[in-house]
Amino acid sequence: MTERSHAPRVVPEGLRAFLATETGSTSVLLVATLAGLVWANSPWGDTYDTFWHTTLAVEFGARSFDLDLEHWVNDGLMALFFFVVGLEIWREIKVGQLRDRRLVAVPLVAALGGMALPALIYYVINAGGPGASGWGIPMASDTAFVLGLLAVLGARCPAPLRVFLLTLAVADDVGAILVVAVFYTEKLNWTALLIALLLIALIVAMRWIRLWRGPAYVVLGFGLWVATVESGIHPTLAGLLLGITVAVYAPKDRQLLEAGEAVQALTRDPTPEQAREVQRSVQQAVSVNDRLQLLLHPWTSYVIVPVFAVANAGVQLDGATLRAAASSPVTHGVVLGLVVGKFVGITAGTWLPLRLKWGELPGNLQWGQVLGGAATSGIGFTVSLFITGLAFRDDPALQSQAKIGILTGSTVSALLGWLIFRLAWNKGGACAPPDAERSDSPPEPMPPITAADHTRGPADAPVTLVEYGDYECPYCGQAEEILHELRSRYGDRLRVVFRHFPLREIHPHAFPAALVAEDAADAGKFWEMHEVLFANQLALTDADLTRYAEEMGVRPWGDVPGHLARVDGVRDGGARAGVEGTPTFFVNGVLHEGSYDVESLGEAVEAALRAAPEPHPGNDGFSGQCEIRRNE
């Protein structure tokens, strides 16, 4: 059989929401980057530096606090960005993926490899030179750009790979912030540092005594940021520390029950007092961490990071600058660090803990997918530009060379990742449930084709190709293109049947998608819905499914009990016939043991055509069927 992936865990809804925001902001970030480049290279390019070096001061009586606009963005707004990063890190540690040590071990070691090797490559190239201090530039990946590229790849990048890369990105962000705090701090103001530590202690104490007053935290947080700026340590560390002090917890049954009762009371007696009680009980059911992420994450993704990109990506790309970059060890170090260092470091950092059995990959990912993820992780932008400004704050020429290296290395890494995914995807694969659910008993014959089956092609076709699939399986998405080509090649000699085999254990939205497909079948639109579901494999939430049905004129969730029984029955029949994963194919009732590319399936169809008897009504379960109710 082809390779199979075993993934007993699913992607949490909170993580899916985070991924959706990250990937959705990628286009905005890309536009902002291009805007910064165009502005800096336009006839008005001299206004770029003039604008971002304009001083903005905040005065408190006789005292004033002033920074230029670039530093307000890099030191102020980016502290809020890293605050959100801290929120996500703390949430993953407490209730998310980072609770499972076996799932954390591999991406953590991979992140270390992906930080250490790029830094080493850069330093070897620049040792003893004026650019030696920029070794931290190629260390960090840009989560938004990486996940945005993976979204473009669609079904070629399964959800477990996104979990792996997001966990890796969390560790990567922590490492980058520590590097900034420890190695890019020029001098310390011990008085300001002591004040910062006292403010952190006060915030922790307020949390310990369960004093939840938002304005108090805002005031203390702002004070911590000012103290950190004055201390000499980069204020992004303050944002991260604040993020991990925010309470996070999974909703408790008692809290959910109280919220539900409050809502019911409001429907019976809609008074202002009841409305306030509903608001209080609902808020208590959701942690402060989750509420802040919902509030702030769109702002950081769609406003703060794009503004940062405009303020930092503006490098002049004239002939002299490009010639200097082409021969600069700084540019060479950044490009090789991002392209080679990230790829080799993450790959080796993934292989080592797996070899030593320290942990496991989510979903037992294929190595081709891991290599593609390692390559795309070489897209370094936000933090790389951030460290560039710190490492070469007094040398604009080195800043330009490093920025050109970042843009070049990130582009090459994106292309390399895309190429690897294309090559790895062509090898095929399959999704399978946990080993514990597999049966050791001999398989039964495949259930015969009935009027309830979903078929394409004439009932008397000499060859029937049955697929057991699931709408969230990326490999089933690949198989759709292959089946279309086979139907075009063999015409009326081939009948294709699709049977549901949703893997609830690893594809949480596959079963609801199957139910909506059955709703469409009741309206005579199964294959139209079938195409829509496979075209939107990354958007199969209940809301998405409802929208697809309504746009098609289908009533969603119309006969849930009946459709549940049908889908479960089809799945059970497939399991008894030896189906263990998706996609699985039967050719004229015989399990297809080979790969499912066009050549392999085509050979199986050709063999079945040669062995097929002359069409005769009622000959067997695969030819001579009467008109199929759901035939296309």
Side-chain angles (χ1 to χ4, degrees):
M1 295 290 289
T2 54
E3 293 179 282
R4 293 183 179 275
S5 57
H6 307 277
R9 296 175 178 85
V10 299
V11 184
E13 284 298 326
L15 185 56
R16 287 181 179 271
F18 179 81
L19 292 170
T21 305
E22 285 294 320
T23 55
S25 67
T26 304
S27 57
V28 179
L29 181 55
L30 181 60
V31 170
T33 303
L34 294 175
L37 286 171
V38 170
W39 184 2
N41 290 276
S42 70
W44 307 277
D46 56 338
T47 64
Y48 181 87
D49 286 332
T50 302
F51 177 79
W52 292 111
H53 289 111
T54 302
T55 300
L56 177 65
V58 177
E59 296 185 355
F60 301 91
R63 298 184 61 85
S64 66
F65 183 82
D66 61 90
L67 296 170
D68 62 29
L69 291 179
E70 183 181 8
H71 282 87
W72 275 111
V73 172
N74 294 355
D75 296 354
L77 294 181
M78 288 302 288
L80 186 59
F81 167 77
F82 282 104
F83 171 71
V84 175
V85 171
L87 291 174
E88 177 62 22
I89 291 172
W90 190 237
R91 187 187 187 284
E92 291 301 311
I93 290 174
K94 296 293 289 185
V95 299
Q97 294 292 319
L98 301 186
R99 290 184 303 166
D100 191 331
R101 294 183 181 180
R102 290 189 61 78
L103 280 182
V104 172
V106 178
L108 179 60
V109 177
L112 291 175
M115 290 187 291
L117 189 58
L120 180 61
I121 290 175
Y122 180 95
Y123 189 77
V124 168
I125 295 175
N126 287 273
S133 62
W135 55 269
I137 295 172
M139 290 180 62
S141 302
D142 191 286
T143 308
F145 269 131
V146 171
L147 295 178
L149 176 61
L150 298 184
V152 172
L153 290 168
R156 290 187 175 89
C157 175
L161 181 59
R162 289 175 170 78
V163 175
F164 174 75
L165 291 179
L166 181 60
T167 308
L168 187 151
V170 168
D172 194 297
D173 286 337
V174 173
I177 293 171
L178 292 177
V179 165
V180 168
V182 175
F183 296 100
Y184 290 99
T185 297
E186 293 184 339
K187 58 182 180 179
L188 288 176
N189 181 328
W190 292 101
T191 301
L193 182 59
L194 180 60
I195 293 173
L197 293 175
L198 290 175
L199 289 173
I200 292 174
L202 183 57
I203 291 171
V204 172
M206 288 176 59
R207 177 185 165 182
W208 184 68
I209 63 175
R210 297 182 177 276
L211 179 59
W212 310 117
R213 291 290 181 269
Y217 283 93
V218 171
V219 171
L220 291 175
F222 181 75
L224 174 62
W225 177 78
V226 173
T228 308
V229 171
E230 294 294 332
S231 71
I233 296 176
H234 202 274
T236 52
L237 182 61
L240 181 71
L241 291 175
L242 279 173
I244 63 177
T245 62
V246 177
V248 59
Y249 49 80
K252 299 178 181 178
D253 291 341
R254 178 184 57 80
Q255 293 173 322
L256 294 175
L257 182 61
E258 290 178 354
E261 291 176 346
V263 171
Q264 291 180 4
L266 179 64
T267 60
R268 293 191 301 267
D269 183 20
T271 63
E273 292 78 14
Q274 289 292 354
R276 185 170 58 186
E277 178 62 22
V278 168
Q279 183 180 21
R280 184 197 64 80
S281 59
V282 169
Q283 283 186 342
Q284 286 186 347
V286 181
S287 71
V288 181
N289 182 293
D290 290 322
R291 280 182 273 145
L292 284 175
Q293 282 197 61
L294 180 65
L295 174 66
L296 297 176
H297 203 281
W299 285 99
T300 59
S301 295
Y302 288 96
V303 178
I304 292 177
V305 173
V307 169
F308 170 84
V310 174
N312 289 269
V315 55
Q316 289 190 347
L317 300 178
D318 53 34
T321 303
L322 293 175
R323 284 192 296 270
S327 60
S328 168
V330 171
T331 305
H332 299 164
V334 172
V335 172
L336 289 176
L338 290 174
V339 177
V340 179
K342 278 289 185 183
F343 179 74
V344 176
I346 291 176
T347 301
T350 302
W351 175 84
L352 180 63
L354 291 176
R355 176 73 174 176
L356 298 177
K357 300 187 183 303
W358 291 349
E360 62 187 30
L361 290 172
N364 288 343
L365 294 167
Q366 309 297 321
W367 266 105
Q369 296 164 341
V370 174
L371 293 176
T376 57
S377 295
I379 303 175
F381 188 76
T382 305
V383 180
S384 295
L385 288 175
F386 189 74
I387 296 178
T388 296
L390 297 177
F392 306 134
R393 67 184 71 197
D394 298 323
D395 196 327
L398 290 181
Q399 282 192 32
S400 296
Q401 294 162 20
K403 290 178 180 179
I404 291 174
I406 292 169
L407 296 174
T408 304
S410 298
T411 302
V412 173
S413 293
L415 293 175
L416 178 61
W418 176 83
L419 178 63
I420 291 175
F421 275 114
R422 292 285 298 184
L423 294 176
W425 183 248
N426 289 336
K427 295 181 180 179
C431 295
D435 292 336
E437 297 198 6
R438 297 181 181 180
S439 173
D440 295 327
S441 60
E444 301 177 3
M446 189 199 76
I449 309 301
T450 71
D453 275 300
H454 308 296
T455 69
R456 275 175 159 167
D460 59 352
V463 179
T464 296
L465 178 62
V466 178
E467 176 193 3
Y468 282 87
D470 131 339
Y471 288 114
E472 203 169 3
C473 168
Y475 307 109
C476 295
Q478 175 200 17
E480 279 299 290
E481 301 175 8
I482 297 167
L483 294 177
H484 281 303
E485 184 168 343
L486 290 176
R487 291 183 60 234
S488 175
R489 177 186 299 182
Y490 293 104
D492 290 344
R493 294 181 293 165
L494 177 66
R495 176 172 57 163
V496 173
V497 180
F498 181 83
R499 285 179 168 174
H500 300 294
F501 199 84
L503 301 176
R504 302 189 196 190
E505 307 86 351
I506 61 176
H507 298 148
H509 298 129
F511 203 92
L515 298 182
V516 169
E518 290 300 310
D519 287 324
D522 289 342
K525 298 182 178 181
F526 173 82
W527 291 107
E528 292 91 331
M529 181 63 74
H530 180 86
E531 299 285 352
V532 168
L533 296 177
F534 272 126
N536 296 277
Q537 287 191 292
L538 297 180
L540 296 177
T541 65
D542 289 352
D544 293 324
L545 296 173
T546 301
R547 185 175 75 255
Y548 302 149
E550 291 175 346
E551 290 174 352
M552 200 173 293
V554 171
R555 185 167 68 93
W557 324 113
D559 181 17
V560 172
H563 293 159
L564 280 171
R566 165 163 168 70
V567 173
D568 278 333
V570 172
R571 191 186 192 283
D572 292 342
R576 290 193 299 271
V579 178
E580 295 182 342
T582 56
T584 295
F585 296 94
F586 289 81
V587 180
N588 277 358
V590 178
L591 179 65
H592 176 67
E593 298 282 357
S595 180
Y596 56 81
D597 52 51
V598 173
E599 291 74 19
S600 297
L601 279 177
E603 289 176 3
V605 172
E606 292 286 355
L609 284 171
R610 291 192 296 269
E614 290 297 322
H616 186 277
N619 184 60
D620 55 30
F622 302 100
S623 60
Q625 291 281 342
C626 294
E627 183 66 22
I628 300 297
R629 178 171 60 88
R630 295 181 179 181
N631 209 31
E632 185 183 60

